[in-house]
Amino acid sequence: MTVLRLLPLLALGACTGVQTPLNPHGDAAERIAHLSWLLFGGGAAIFVLVMALLAWALLAPATLRGAMRSRSFVLAGGVAFPVITLAALLVHSLGVSRALVLPREERPLRIEVIARQYWWEVRYPDAGADAVTANEIRLPVGREVELLLSSADVIHSLWIPNLHGKMDMIPGRVNRQRFTAQRTGVLRGQCTEFCGLQHGLMAFWAVVEEPAAFEAWLARQQAPVPEPTDPRLVQGKRIFGEAGCGACHAVRGTAWQGRLGPDLSRVGSRLSLAAGVLENHRGTLAGWIAGAQDIKPGNAMPAYGRALDGDDLLALAAWLEALR
């Protein structure tokens, strides 16, 4: 009985949150949610109808039950009703699918998302080659965006349930997804195609904000990283170079332009580390650098716990945290 009482609460819990298609934050997700509720409601109504007919067949007087054996009743209930109902749902769902792919603006904001094992590279080509981040997609509210989805290794799939449906990311191909975010908020996305050992830990945040805040964020992404003046941060930057981090990571405004790992130019401003695995602050930065393979085994980041002493590790984490 306790489990039965909890079922309505579980159902309601699925309708809200930062990762559900039933709490739409955009036009595409709203269409998908409406279609979902139509299917849920239609399925529930048909279930009730079938149960009522079953009760009629079992409990009604014999004279009434006899009507269910007639040819007209069988043709109406067993052939005409499902054909008409399913055909109507098919036509409606095809209309929703068409509306999801039709462009609404001639020049949407283009955002390139490149999936890698096991993180996301995000580029804003309309703003220039320097507008690059990782594991976080920033979006302006009220403006149509076009995600250009590709993969650098195996098949992945991107899904931001509050904004749109699932879209595969296939090596050698660019798939496109358009939508307009209608509400601000912080939403969670996830890889939904098994892509290897750490597929389950390949998430990201989609941050929808006001246009002015988005433009200010985008301008910071393009700007070179300033030289540190604090001795502790100077030490951290020096350790970054001596440890060879620049061979894999880029930091705008420096000679380090590696492309194997995420761009770290503004890593301190991101909400998470390791593709949604950790909250982003100095302690988790140090922990990730020291033991990346303990936190997320099989990813491409080596562990530096033995290569760096504690003081250098904390200085490096402090400099990365300051990159905002």
Side-chain angles (χ1 to χ4, degrees), residues 3-79:
V3 174
L4 293 177
R5 291 172 183 170
L6 289 175
L7 287 177
L9 296 177
L10 292 174
L12 290 173
C15 300
T16 60
V18 298
Q19 191 174 1
T20 170
L22 301 181
N23 181 25
H25 280 239
D27 58 342
E30 190 170 6
R31 289 188 175 93
I32 293 172
H34 286 167
L35 178 61
S36 300
W37 285 118
L38 175 64
L39 296 176
F40 295 156
I46 292 172
F47 175 79
V48 171
L49 175 62
V50 171
M51 291 300 102
L53 291 174
L54 177 62
W56 184 12
L58 294 175
L59 304 176
T63 54
L64 295 178
R65 294 200 305 268
M68 301 182 67
R69 296 196 297 268
S70 68
R71 179 182 178 87
S72 59
F73 185 91
V74 172
L75 290 176
V79 179

Side-chain angles (χ1 to χ4, degrees), residues 239 243 245 289 304-313 316:
I239 297 303
C245 304
I289 296 167
Y304 283 87
R306 295 185 179 181
L308 300 176
D309 63 37
D311 185 65
D312 286 343
L313 180 63
L316 174 56

Side-chain angles (χ1 to χ4, degrees), residues 78-98:
V79 179
F81 177 74
V83 167
I84 293 171
T85 302
L86 294 176
L89 288 174
L90 174 63
V91 171
H92 180 68
S93 63
L94 290 175
V96 172
S97 299
R98 184 173 184 272

Side-chain angles (χ1 to χ4, degrees), residues 149-324:
L149 307 175
S150 61
S151 171
D153 37 53
V154 301
I155 296 177
H156 298 269
S157 186
L158 179 141
W159 190 30
I160 314 173
N162 302 78
L163 293 176
H164 210 300
K166 169 182 177 287
M167 179 70 75
D168 284 348
M169 308 170 78
I170 302 169
R173 179 183 177 88
V174 177
N175 287 334
R176 298 170 186 268
Q177 187 178 79
R178 286 196 180 203
F179 59 84
T180 302
Q182 298 170 328
R183 285 193 284 158
T184 59
V186 180
L187 310 171
R188 190 175 187 273
Q190 177 72 42
C191 179
T192 52
E193 186 77 26
F194 182 75
C195 56
L197 179 64
Q198 292 301 330
H199 160 70
L201 296 180
M202 188 174 167
F204 62 92
W205 292 105
V207 182
V208 184
E209 52 194 2
E210 295 296 337
F214 170 76
E215 292 297 336
W217 172 85
L218 192 58
R220 288 197 303 275
Q221 297 305 306
Q222 296 172 275
V225 170
E227 283 292 330
T229 56
D230 183 281
R232 188 68 166 164
L233 303 185
V234 172
Q235 177 189 359
K237 181 179 179 182
R238 175 178 57 80
I239 297 303
F240 185 91
E242 291 177 354
C245 304
C248 294
H249 299 282
V251 178
R252 215 154 10 262
T254 71
W256 302 314
Q257 298 298 318
R259 287 289 307 278
L260 297 178
D263 187 297
L264 300 180
S265 300
R266 302 290 172 180
V267 64
S269 65
R270 295 172 195 163
L271 297 179
S272 71
L273 296 174
V277 176
L278 302 170
E279 292 184 10
N280 187 13
H281 52 74
R282 188 176 305 186
T284 52
L285 277 164
W288 174 251
I289 296 167
Q293 293 304 315
D294 296 321
I295 297 170
K296 196 171 179 177
N299 81 94
M301 171 76 177
Y304 283 87
R306 295 185 179 181
L308 300 176
D309 63 37
D311 185 65
D312 286 343
L313 180 63
L314 292 176
L316 174 56
W319 179 63
L320 292 174
E321 184 188 39
L323 299 181
R324 295 176 179 273

